[in-house]
Amino acid sequence: MDKFEKLTGIAAPLPMINVDTDMIIPKQFLKTIKRTGLGVNLFDEMRYDRDGNEMPDFVLNRPPYREAEILVTGENFGCGSSREHAPWAIKDFGIRCIIAPSFADIFHNNCFKNGILPVSLPQEQVDVLMKDAEKGGNARISVDLEAQTVTGAEGDVFHFEIDPFRKHCLLEGLDDIALSMQQMPAIEIYEARLAQDRPWV
């Protein structure tokens, strides 16, 4: 998993509440077990018409937001079903940080497991960042995970809370497999002892 330390980039404004995982990645794209290739279908039913043509009014279809690395959105983001394809699609598009007043629990957990930083901030602070994001490509937002701060385009600095263990995993780029691999010396000792004591297993 890619490390997350500091990020300065274009933020796309999505002023919607209760964005569920079916809106993020519709059910017809859940057949794959690959974590790549889903970015093109992120928010598919809002990005494309029935003929597959881009809808120019949708934020991610407009320059400069095609290159967005941050998403500023409304409360209860990621509600609905627990599909992990939702963070897969978000990351594959290129978004590494989502800022919202609140997140659905399972989606929130899945973000951390896929190298995405979900930042919860009070509504009034999200409103400031939403206005910054609406200014376009010249209004960059910065996120510093070590300092736990978000800096808006006008210099406003907001502090966010994060679980220390999850922070460590993002800073070091550790997913569940990588965390297990850190215990490899102890695992190898255990396996060697098991092979000696119970060779029939």
Side-chain angles (χ1 to χ4, degrees):
M1 189 171 73
D2 295 333
K3 293 182 179 181
F4 190 113
E5 296 171 342
K6 295 181 180 180
L7 172 65
T8 297
I10 296 169
L14 188 68
M16 299 175 63
I17 65 171
N18 301 322
V19 174
D20 65 34
T21 52
D22 191 55
M23 295 168 68
I24 296 170
I25 186 72
K27 60 185 179 301
Q28 62 266 32
F29 302 109
L30 305 186
K31 299 175 183 178
T32 182
I33 58 172
K34 295 181 179 179
R35 298 189 182 196
T36 57
L38 289 171
V40 67
N41 301 116
L42 177 65
F43 297 115
D44 190 86
E45 293 177 359
M46 290 188 281
R47 283 174 70 191
Y48 308 104
D49 63 22
R50 293 185 178 181
D51 296 321
N53 301 307
E54 287 189 352
M55 289 191 265
D57 290 339
F58 186 68
V59 61
L60 297 183
N61 290 337
R62 305 198 316 258
Y65 301 118
R66 291 176 180 273
E67 307 300 323
E69 296 178 89
I70 300 168
L71 184 68
V72 183
T73 187
E75 63 181 324
N76 198 31
F77 188 84
C79 57
S81 67
S82 60
R83 62 191 68 171
E84 195 170 3
H85 295 69
W88 291 357
I90 289 168
K91 185 166 182 196
D92 192 61
F93 181 86
I95 293 171
R96 295 293 313 279
C97 177
I98 307 169
I99 301 171
S102 62
F103 296 88
D105 286 344
I106 295 176
F107 176 83
H108 187 259
N109 293 336
N110 282 339
C111 282
F112 286 106
K113 293 176 181 295
N114 289 281
I116 299 169
L117 173 61
V119 173
S120 298
L121 290 173
Q123 184 65 61
E124 59 270 20
Q125 296 180 3
V126 174
D127 290 343
V128 171
L129 297 171
M130 188 75 72
K131 290 180 181 178
D132 284 348
E134 290 169 352
K135 295 174 184 176
N138 293 323
R140 303 296 175 106
I141 290 176
S142 297
V143 182
D144 186 329
L145 177 55
E146 183 63 50
Q148 295 178 211
T149 58
V150 177
T151 304
E154 302 300 322
D156 300 287
V157 179
F158 304 120
H159 183 271
F160 62 89
E161 298 297 328
I162 185 172
D163 175 79
F165 176 72
R166 287 173 166 169
K167 177 179 178 178
H168 167 74
C169 289
L170 279 179
L171 286 170
E172 300 299 324
L174 300 173
D175 59 12
D176 289 346
I177 295 174
L179 283 168
S180 298
M181 295 299 290
Q182 287 187 323
Q183 305 303 317
M184 187 54 69
I187 293 171
E188 290 175 343
I189 291 171
Y190 171 80
E191 291 291 343
R193 184 183 301 122
L194 182 65
Q196 183 177 2
D197 296 344
R198 304 172 65 188
W200 61 88
V201 174

